[in-house]
Amino acid sequence: RLVFPVYEYGREQGNCTVIGGYVYRGRARAAERGRYVVGDFCSGIVWSFRVVSGKAQGLRTEPFRVPSLTSFGENAAGELFAVSHDGVVYRLS
């Protein structure tokens, strides 16, 4: 079954590669619960949004960048982390 993306961006918004993430389920930032976090490898831009009826809503560019973003991770408590190609792990809460 073909499923279309819920969010797309062009080169004017990011530079090269989508790095998929996680839906935030932690407790440190209660207002952020349910937001999907995604980023771009080259620009380091991180966005978040909610998925409602199969579409991205409330798209927001986060106030930080992760240089050479390669991955996201989640701990047992649902808190999110981002990993840089340089080996740095950032806590996103």
Side-chain angles (χ1 to χ4, degrees):
R1 176 179 146 190
L2 177 63
V3 177
F4 290 98
V6 297
Y7 172 66
E8 298 178 52
Y9 65 94
R11 296 229 181 242
E12 67 281 351
Q13 292 172 298
N15 289 343
C16 67
T17 305
V18 176
I19 305 298
Y22 289 85
V23 173
Y24 179 69
R25 302 193 189 289
R27 297 183 188 267
R29 300 174 69 192
E32 308 304 315
R33 288 181 62 98
R35 294 186 71 84
Y36 181 73
V37 180
V38 62
D40 182 83
F41 172 78
C42 293
S43 67
I45 295 172
V46 175
W47 298 275
S48 71
F49 53 85
R50 295 184 190 285
V51 177
V52 179
S53 298
K55 296 184 182 187
Q57 294 194 358
L59 178 67
R60 173 174 73 209
T61 301
E62 296 299 330
F64 56 85
R65 291 187 181 213
V66 178
S68 302
L69 175 64
T70 56
S71 187
F72 290 96
E74 177 183 49
N75 69 11
E79 299 304 326
L80 297 183
F81 299 82
V83 180
S84 168
H85 182 66
D86 299 329
V88 178
V89 177
Y90 299 89
R91 184 173 179 177
L92 302 182
S93 55

